[in-house]
Amino acid sequence: MRFLASWKAMPSRSRSAAMVVCLRGHQGLRRLPRHDQGRHGHRHHYTDTGLTPGTSYTYGVKARDTADQVGPAFGTVTVTTSGPPPVTGDTFYLRSGGQLATQAATAGYSDTIRSADGTNRDGTPCNPLVYEVKNVNGALKAGAGTAFTFKVDAGTDVGYAQQARVSYDLTGDGTFDRVETFRYFASDPITGWEDYTSARQGVLSASGNLGDLNGGTIRVEVWSALGNGPSTLQVGTGSVLTIPFA
């Protein structure tokens, strides 16, 4: 975005205004020198970059003369950048359509986890269900880790197992900086939701390092590690991810 400022000379016993100070809130962004001592009201341009989407900022200017006199802020204007604001919070619900949302749905639904086709897929995602949230901000909590409870069901089928991976792209640049794969959960042959939890199954493998999230992306993958047919994952309400960020 561009902030356009104009001003007139500031009265002084010495000389007229020598510069203006461009402000964002109370933060001085740039001092803009007077181009021509005789041209009062000379127009300057200043482009402020690196702003957060969906956020309001207030701008103004202060005149300062060669006698070091600084006037009050004038010409203030408040603008709101385009785009959605950053996502914050540490709790996300798996939602239909591949979303991770900070709020649960009004009702639970089922997504189908495709079959492992009789092949051992332990540790390697194959045709996974994928859930993502982007533009996430958060400070890493010391000593905390990824936690989840995913509700799964394989009906009355025997020899089925579901598995999950959680990945963190800390800056949203398309590269996942931390990838955590959890041990699979062997579901029982009784119809009804079962809890596949990180606390019970634990981490199978992990690579990379965590750090603060700054416009980051979080991805959850769930797939069949074992079995000859599909199983189901509850989404909307019951399946919850907790991330180690504040």
Side-chain angles (χ1 to χ4, degrees):
M1 65 167 292
R2 169 172 288 185
F3 174 70
L4 180 65
S6 64
W7 71 96
K8 292 184 178 180
M10 180 179 177
S12 171
R13 290 189 300 272
S14 55
R15 301 176 68 186
S16 59
M19 64 178 68
V20 295
V21 181
C22 183
L23 304 169
R24 183 206 301 153
H26 298 290
Q27 176 186 3
L29 295 174
R30 186 180 180 186
R31 294 187 176 186
L32 306 171
R34 177 177 53 93
H35 286 289
D36 188 338
Q37 182 69 36
R39 295 176 60 191
H40 301 318
H42 189 84
R43 187 172 293 274
H44 285 279
H45 298 81
Y46 177 73
T47 301
D48 194 12
T49 60
L51 304 180
T52 302
T55 304
S56 295
Y57 297 91
T58 299
Y59 293 89
V61 292
K62 289 184 178 181
R64 178 179 181 180
D65 69 7
T66 54
D68 209 27
Q69 295 181 128
V70 179
F74 64 92
T76 57
V77 62
T78 299
V79 297
T80 301
T81 51
S82 60
V87 179
T88 58
D90 65 355
T91 302
F92 293 89
Y93 295 85
L94 277 60
R95 300 279 295 266
S96 290
Q99 298 179 359
L100 289 175
T102 55
Q103 293 184 341
T106 55
Y109 302 92
S110 297
D111 279 353
T112 300
I113 308 171
R114 292 179 60 177
S115 172
D117 296 326
T119 301
N120 188 329
R121 310 288 187 180
D122 185 15
T124 304
C126 179
N127 299 317
L129 294 173
V130 179
Y131 304 86
E132 272 193 357
V133 59
K134 296 183 178 182
N135 194 27
V136 184
N137 287 354
L140 180 63
K141 296 178 184 178
T146 303
F148 64 77
T149 297
F150 297 155
K151 291 190 176 295
V152 297
D153 181 31
T156 58
D157 292 308
V158 178
Y160 283 41
Q162 300 78 35
Q163 194 160 24
R165 172 177 290 177
V166 181
S167 304
Y168 299 91
D169 172 358
L170 300 178
T171 59
D173 63 358
T175 299
F176 286 100
D177 304 280
R178 172 75 172 179
V179 178
E180 301 174 358
T181 302
F182 292 82
R183 293 184 178 89
Y184 66 68
F185 174 74
S187 51
D188 64 30
I190 302 173
T191 300
W193 296 116
E194 298 180 79
D195 288 345
Y196 172 21
T197 69
S198 56
R200 184 184 305 165
Q201 302 308 120
V203 176
L204 174 67
S205 65
S207 61
N209 297 298
L210 284 173
D212 292 345
L213 285 165
N214 184 14
T217 298
I218 302 169
R219 174 183 292 177
V220 172
E221 298 168 272
V222 181
W223 69 97
S224 293
L226 301 171
N228 289 304
S231 54
T232 54
L233 171 70
Q234 188 185 75
V235 295
T237 56
S239 295
V240 183
L241 170 71
T242 303
I243 61 173
F245 297 89

